[in-house]
Each structure stands twice: as structure tokens, then as C-alpha cells.
Amino acid sequence: AGSIYISEGTYSSSFPTTTGAYREEYISSTGGSDVFVMRFNSSNLSLVASTYLGGNGDDGWGYFKSTSISIGSGIFVTFRTLSTDIPTPINAAYPTKPGIGPDVYISCLNADLSDQISGTYLGGSSSDLPEAIDASAGPVFIAGHTYSIDLPITAGSPKTNYQETDAFAAEFDANLQNLIGLTYLEGSAD
């Protein structure tokens, strides 16, 4: 039988997690939100695995789409974060939170949600908000919108200059260790 994965933000410190999950306990020390990821059996919708994700600040909250999930070489989840302490591999493309506002976090979990395989932050000096992720073809693609004038735009990008509330698109390798491409998208007030 296949699996169904869902992810979102929660303010619940008693959310149902499963024994052996990557993070069984509520993480936010500020009373803010954490992200949850759940795996269900697709034939009978029974809960197979459930874990928290995040750190000391608000994770996966907001009035825009707050989390997004894609299945590739692992279970990829992206969410907005204010946390500075999400466990991130040292060889990640961006192992530390880049800005003071909300930034993007991308996590790759194993199929049974018991371990984070890889993860990285992404952002600039202002607010950066993920809207979609696709890891089905190997590389990891992220789209969102930003208020940062200093995202790590890559050489050869079609749009390198920021305009008020631009969208962005980024591509990472499957291990989230290298940013392959990042560009701003289209005009002002996007």
C-alpha cells in the first residue's frame, strides 16, 4: 500500500506524534507554532508516522500557505520559520538563519519520519516566504515570495534586481547542499 503525507503548522503541544519519530515533543519555546508531518496508509488511512519539525520560534504559521510537501529521494517539506536553532547539517547550503524576519526552511525526512536526512535555510535580510516545493525529478525546486533585496541570486539569473514584494524561484541539489539557481520573478507588487 502507498502512503499519504500531510504537513502544516500547529500550536498544539499535544499533537499526536508516533514513537521513534524524528521529533516526538513540541519544540517551540516561545509558545509559537511548530510544523507537523504525518504519514498515513493510503488504503485504510491509518496513521503510520507523525513528527514535529522546527525550532525555538514560530514555524509553519501564517496567512499565506505556510507549508508545502513533495516526495523525491525523501519527504521534502518547506515552511516559513523564525527559528534560529533548527537542527541543520553543517554541509547544508545555508546552515544558519539568514535574516531577522521569517525565512524559508527546507527539510528532507526519511520515509518513516524518524530522521532528517538534510535541511537548509534560505533567505535574505527581510521576510522570505515559501509557497511551493517539487522534488519529484531529483533537484529540489522552491517558489515563494520575498521582501529581501539581497537573496543569494545566482549568476545568469534572468532577473537579478529586486522590486517591491517579488516572487522568487530556487533550485537546490537533492542533498540541499548546493544552491544551483535562484532568481527573482517579474515586476513590482507580485
Side-chain angles (χ1 to χ4, degrees), residues 2-177:
S3 296
I4 299 169
Y5 292 89
I6 64 169
S7 178
E8 190 53 82
T10 182
Y11 287 93
S12 175
S13 60
S14 60
F15 199 83
T17 58
T18 51
T19 302
Y22 172 59
R23 302 292 293 263
E24 294 181 38
E25 303 294 324
Y26 185 70
I27 306 162
S28 179
S29 61
T30 63
S33 65
D34 281 339
V35 170
F36 69 82
V37 182
M38 299 178 90
R39 177 185 175 190
F40 294 91
N41 180 304
S42 64
S43 63
N44 64 12
L45 297 182
S46 62
L47 180 64
V48 176
S50 178
T51 187
Y52 283 110
L53 276 176
N56 59 357
D58 272 338
D59 302 299
W61 52 274
Y63 43 83
F64 296 103
K65 183 173 178 65
S66 57
T67 69
S68 189
I69 192 166
S70 180
I71 298 173
S73 58
I75 309 307
F76 288 84
V77 180
T78 186
F79 54 92
R80 60 196 307 179
T81 184
L82 286 172
S83 293
T84 58
D85 65 339
I86 299 173
T88 305
I90 198 157
N91 60 351
Y94 300 98
T96 58
K97 186 175 179 318
I100 58 170
D103 286 310
V104 175
Y105 193 81
I106 307 153
S107 177
C108 178
L109 299 167
N110 63 355
D112 66 3
L113 307 181
S114 64
D115 193 24
Q116 178 175 255
I117 300 166
S118 58
T120 189
Y121 287 95
L122 175 65
S125 58
S126 193
S127 297
D128 309 294
L129 312 167
E131 298 290 335
I133 186 169
D134 183 0
S136 62
V140 181
F141 297 94
I142 306 288
H145 64 275
T146 183
Y147 296 90
S148 292
I149 62 172
D150 56 352
L151 285 179
I153 302 299
T154 52
S157 294
K159 186 168 186 271
T160 59
N161 58 321
Y162 170 83
Q163 293 176 322
E164 183 180 345
T165 58
D166 266 350
F168 71 87
E171 177 185 0
F172 286 90
D173 66 4
N175 298 319
L176 302 175
Q177 295 176 357

